[in-house]
Amino acid sequence: MSAVIERTVQRLPVPRRRRSPRTIITAGLITAALVALHAAAWIDTDMDLGMLAEGRHGMARFVAEAFPPDFAWDPVVRSGLEACLVTLWIGLLGTTLSIPFTIVLCALGSRATSSNAAVYQIARGIMSFLRAVPDVVFALIFVTAVGLGPFAGVLALVCNNTGVMGKLWSEAMEEIDDGPAQALRLAGAGRVQLIAHAVLPAAVPQLIGLALYRLDVNVRASLVLGLVGAGGIGFLINQSIQEFRFDEMLTYILMVLALVVAVDVLSSVIRRRLTP
């Protein structure tokens, strides 16, 4: 009996999915719009594969001059290691020093903890502004205030990271179970008690994971900030390019690669340990 049923089931034709003319027209319009947008973007960005092919000789010469990398201890490797350490400190301080400001903003800009619509919108607006301004722009502003060096890079990352992490943390707080918070509200708990004893404890693993992710991003961002005078190994890369010392540049890039991989591995290990 079961064999008969199996043969019958196997012979049943798969029903064809019916698509209404309206759905087909909508899909066609969306496809045409995407094609038109990409065509406009291709034209306005001066995309030219032929120009890229013509410039292959310049790229080949650039790569040939970068190999082999310069592994001379003094001054290349030693200064590169010191600059890598500065780059790591910039990313670390830019992440950790932004946490107090992030907590305040996400407490005011999260629906799980803020009941005042005006305060909520103001907090979200501040976070949007800090996210919208690139960290490089913040670095240029702070360089004019405190001069060249890592301090400007730390301040730039604190501003930008507060906006980015504030958005991520506020959304994480909105996704937690609302049961403990409701129980505390019924017991007469205030807003600070609600945040400290219900919202933050429930969201701590996710918040720490997001902070570690931002640390990884900020270490890489601090490299770019060094190109505009905010210190770290990015400054050495920019200097070696300006002096046409491409072998030194390649050495510094390899150091950056090792630093980014190390931070990424460490962050992944910590996140796995935090995952229940």
Side-chain angles (χ1 to χ4, degrees), residues 111-185:
R111 298 187 187 277
T113 55
S114 180
S115 57
N116 189 305
V119 172
Y120 172 83
Q121 293 298 334
I122 292 173
R124 300 296 291 192
I126 294 174
M127 287 188 284
S128 297
F129 170 75
L130 294 176
R131 289 198 318 275
V133 179
D135 46 19
V136 174
V137 176
F138 277 124
L140 292 173
I141 294 173
F142 286 119
V143 161
T144 62
V146 301
L148 299 174
F151 185 31
V154 172
L155 294 176
L157 286 182
V158 167
C159 291
N160 183 259
N161 194 67
T162 298
V164 176
M165 204 156 68
K167 180 179 184 297
L168 296 174
W169 279 20
S170 62
E171 292 177 351
M173 291 165 61
E174 290 175 356
E175 294 174 357
I176 64 172
D177 183 15
D178 195 38
Q182 292 289 354
L184 284 179
R185 287 193 188 97

Side-chain angles (χ1 to χ4, degrees), residues 37-276:
L37 287 173
H38 282 79
W42 184 279
I43 294 172
D44 288 344
T45 53
D46 297 327
M47 294 288 291
D48 189 349
L49 298 181
M51 186 181 298
L52 177 62
E54 292 174 0
R56 67 184 184 278
H57 302 293
M59 291 188 294
R61 185 170 59 253
F62 180 87
V63 173
E65 293 178 1
F67 283 93
D70 187 355
F71 289 119
W73 172 255
D74 195 7
V76 180
V77 175
R78 185 179 67 179
S79 60
L81 292 175
E82 294 173 352
C84 276
L85 192 61
V86 173
T87 298
L88 178 62
W89 297 154
I90 294 173
L92 178 65
L93 291 177
T95 304
T96 55
L97 295 181
S98 66
I99 289 178
F101 307 105
T102 300
I103 292 175
V104 173
L105 277 179
C106 67
L108 299 176
S110 173
R111 298 187 187 277
T113 55
S114 180
S115 57
N116 189 305
V119 172
Y120 172 83
Q121 293 298 334
I122 292 173
R124 300 296 291 192
I126 294 174
M127 287 188 284
S128 297
F129 170 75
L130 294 176
R131 289 198 318 275
V133 179
D135 46 19
V136 174
V137 176
F138 277 124
L140 292 173
I141 294 173
F142 286 119
V143 161
T144 62
V146 301
L148 299 174
F151 185 31
V154 172
L155 294 176
L157 286 182
V158 167
C159 291
N160 183 259
N161 194 67
T162 298
V164 176
M165 204 156 68
K167 180 179 184 297
L168 296 174
W169 279 20
S170 62
E171 292 177 351
M173 291 165 61
E174 290 175 356
E175 294 174 357
I176 64 172
D177 183 15
D178 195 38
Q182 292 289 354
L184 284 179
R185 287 193 188 97
L186 294 175
R191 188 179 306 278
V192 177
Q193 294 174 317
L194 184 71
I195 296 172
H197 298 289
V199 178
L200 285 180
V204 158
Q206 190 171 359
L207 300 186
I208 294 177
L210 291 171
L212 290 172
Y213 165 72
R214 287 302 304 171
L215 172 62
D216 182 22
V217 173
N218 287 333
V219 169
R220 284 177 281 151
S222 61
L223 166 66
V224 180
L225 298 183
L227 299 177
V228 296
I233 197 167
F235 179 77
L236 294 182
I237 292 176
N238 187 36
Q239 188 178 50
S240 61
I241 292 175
Q242 291 178 349
E243 296 175 356
F244 301 99
R245 295 297 304 271
F246 300 123
D247 51 349
E248 290 184 6
M249 175 207 68
L250 181 58
T251 303
Y252 297 142
I253 290 176
L254 293 175
M255 290 182 178
V256 169
L257 175 62
L259 175 64
V260 170
V261 170
V263 173
D264 182 56
V265 170
L266 179 61
S267 300
S268 299
V269 170
I270 297 176
R271 281 197 296 267
R272 281 199 300 267
R273 291 184 177 274
L274 291 173
T275 304

